[in-house]
Amino acid sequence: MSRTDRGLVTLLVAALAAPAAAQQPAAPADSLAPPMLVREVFTFEGAGRDPFISLIATGDVRPLISDVRLVAVYYDARYPARSVAVLRDITTNKVYKVKPGE
């Protein structure tokens, strides 16, 4: 049997099997399980502020210039864009590293 003949036989078997499958009785509607709906829900329970609330609306823009102290300046003469100023928040002791343009 050639390759073309095998393909034709396969096609004929599939065509003959399709009407037999269509004649089988369908399952009763009450035996089917209802569809399950699964939904992903997100709640923010972080330690900091809610990232989805605007800082401008709440007025919680921190730190202010008056809240930070200049600790050090690291100046790179070859590449001034890599220079860094180190600031420390006097209320929380958090350190901020600021580059030119920030």
Side-chain angles (χ1 to χ4, degrees):
M1 216 177 208
S2 72
R3 193 171 176 179
T4 308
D5 291 338
R6 278 189 234 150
L8 185 60
V9 169
T10 304
L11 183 64
L12 286 173
V13 168
L16 293 174
Q23 293 174 358
Q24 293 178 355
D30 59 346
S31 69
L32 297 176
M36 180 186 279
L37 178 64
V38 179
R39 185 180 354 174
E40 184 177 355
V41 178
F42 175 80
T43 56
F44 182 76
E45 297 174 0
R49 68 170 189 84
D50 187 348
F52 301 108
I53 296 177
S54 171
L55 289 174
I56 296 171
T58 62
D60 191 26
V61 180
R62 295 267 175 205
L64 299 174
I65 295 295
S66 60
D67 294 337
V68 294
R69 298 279 184 236
L70 180 63
V71 176
V73 175
Y74 300 103
Y75 180 72
D76 189 347
R78 289 177 95 187
Y79 304 103
R82 293 194 315 191
S83 299
V84 177
V86 179
L87 307 170
R88 182 179 304 271
D89 191 337
I90 58 174
T91 58
T92 62
N93 280 340
K94 186 173 180 181
V95 175
Y96 299 96
K97 297 176 183 173
V98 184
K99 294 184 178 182
E102 293 184 338

